[in-house]
Each structure stands twice: as structure tokens, then as C-alpha cells.
Amino acid sequence: VHGNLTQFGAVPAFAITENTVGFNGGYDSFNNNFPNYDTTSWCVTPETKVLVCDKDFNKYVKKASKLKENDMIVSFDLFGHPYTTNIVKILKGETTRLYTIHTKNYSLTCTGSHPIIRSRGDKIGTSAANLKIGDDVLTYNTKNKLADIEKIVAIDFVDTEQEVLTLKLKDYYTFCCGNQRDGGIVSHNMKEMT
């Protein structure tokens, strides 16, 4: 089953490198240039800050490039309650276009296919390339008990070659990331492959 415009945007903005476990080929290997929903790498930059926590649920941010397998990250259930989950695997890829999604308080730089959670109850998110100014996205601040909604106030993109990282997560499949130190935009990423 291949993605559609609603899920992925008109042009996937990434390519999988040959050292990415479980993937064969890259951008041009997808039928019709659309990624396979079951194996697609949805990515953030190595500089992206990801909300992590220790065993006592003390929250802090860590650059994606510093994350390791089994690190505990802050995740969210469908009601916006924070939980913890572990990173199962970190995959590397490349992109030729980055999008930056801005809300009043947060921003996130990611690939066009990276799914952004738009509300509590959203199970799959909307690709960054399909978001527009005025859309709602789910955000989280470490001072709050629940994730909250903010409107997108700006969207930028830049064409550049960039390494990107994908997190495969164990239980809950959402995480909080962005360019800030106290929270960010809630995203969906790869669940553990079985």
C-alpha cells in the first residue's frame, strides 16, 4: 500500500541511504515516487531537540544526534497525557528539502513526510508538506500536564542536502520535538517493527 497526497505531500523530501537497516534503495525506488507506508522513514535533523526523561520522569531535551537506543523519551496517549517510551532503533537517511513549522511558542524542522500530530486523538498525523498556516498542531510544554493545541503561524522550507534521523519507538508512537528547550511540537514516528 502506498501513501497518498494527504499523508505524504506531493514530493517526498527524503531518501534512504544504503546503510539504513531494512530499506533497499532510496527516493527513486518507491512506486510513483511515493513512500511505502509500512517502511517509510519520517525524519528530523540531528540538531532537533527531543524531549527525553530519566527513570524518575524528570524531563529535559537532548539533540537527536545524541539519542541512543533504549533512551526514554516523552510520548503521549490519545488524550494528550505524557508517558514514556523507549527508542528501539535510530535510522539515518538524507533529505533534499527541510520544512520548518512555526507556532506561537515552538518550531520544528523536519522532512516533508514527517507526520505532525494535529489534535488529541490524532493517530497518524499530517505530513509537514501538507500543513498550512492556520492549521492546528499539538504542542507540549514541560510545565503543562497535557499536550495543547497551537495554530501554525508560519511555514518555511529550504532545499538543502541534510542528514536526517528517524526514531523507531516501542509503545506509544508519538514524541515531542522542536528547536526549543522546554517542549515542542508533537510528532508521530515509526513503531517497533515486528
Side-chain angles (χ1 to χ4, degrees), residues 5-194:
L5 292 175
T6 304
Q7 289 177 314
F8 299 105
V11 180
F14 66 93
I16 307 305
T17 61
E18 68 279 353
N19 65 348
T20 302
V21 176
F23 295 90
N24 293 322
Y27 177 81
D28 293 326
S29 68
F30 299 119
N31 290 344
N32 301 319
N33 282 333
F34 286 98
N36 182 304
Y37 182 75
D38 296 324
T39 59
T40 297
S41 178
W42 296 310
C43 309
V44 297
T45 70
E47 296 301 309
T48 300
K49 294 177 179 74
V50 176
L51 192 59
V52 298
C53 59
D54 61 23
K55 62 182 171 65
D56 297 319
F57 204 62
N58 295 311
K59 299 172 227 152
Y60 59 99
V61 294
K62 196 179 212 185
K63 285 184 181 180
S65 62
K66 302 292 184 188
L67 294 170
K68 300 180 299 234
E69 291 179 14
N70 295 317
D71 276 356
M72 286 191 345
I73 66 171
V74 177
S75 188
F76 301 87
D77 68 11
L78 290 177
F79 302 103
H81 297 106
Y83 286 90
T84 61
T85 193
N86 292 87
I87 297 172
V88 175
K89 186 172 280 292
I90 300 170
L91 303 173
K92 292 182 180 182
E94 295 175 349
T95 189
T96 57
R97 176 172 282 183
L98 290 172
Y99 289 78
T100 302
I101 309 300
H102 303 273
T103 67
K104 178 182 175 188
N105 296 303
Y106 300 102
S107 63
L108 168 64
T109 302
C110 58
T111 63
S113 61
H114 186 74
I116 308 295
I117 300 297
R118 299 196 49 210
S119 65
R120 294 183 195 125
D122 182 354
K123 294 181 181 181
I124 60 171
T126 300
S127 64
N130 281 328
L131 293 171
K132 58 188 180 305
I133 294 172
D135 282 351
D136 290 338
V137 294
L138 199 62
T139 63
Y140 182 72
N141 183 299
T142 56
K143 298 176 184 116
N144 297 337
K145 295 193 187 277
L146 288 174
D148 204 2
I149 301 291
E150 289 191 28
K151 293 213 178 283
I152 295 174
V153 297
I155 300 173
D156 306 316
F157 70 89
V158 62
D159 290 325
T160 182
E161 290 187 19
Q162 171 74 50
E163 178 183 75
V164 287
L165 304 173
T166 294
L167 309 178
K168 289 170 71 175
L169 307 176
K170 184 175 180 185
D171 299 315
Y172 294 98
Y173 307 123
T174 58
F175 66 102
C176 183
C177 57
N179 303 329
Q180 292 71 35
R181 301 186 71 69
D182 63 347
I185 295 174
V186 180
S187 299
H188 191 288
N189 233 334
M190 294 180 76
K191 63 183 179 180
E192 180 177 12
M193 297 290 192
T194 55

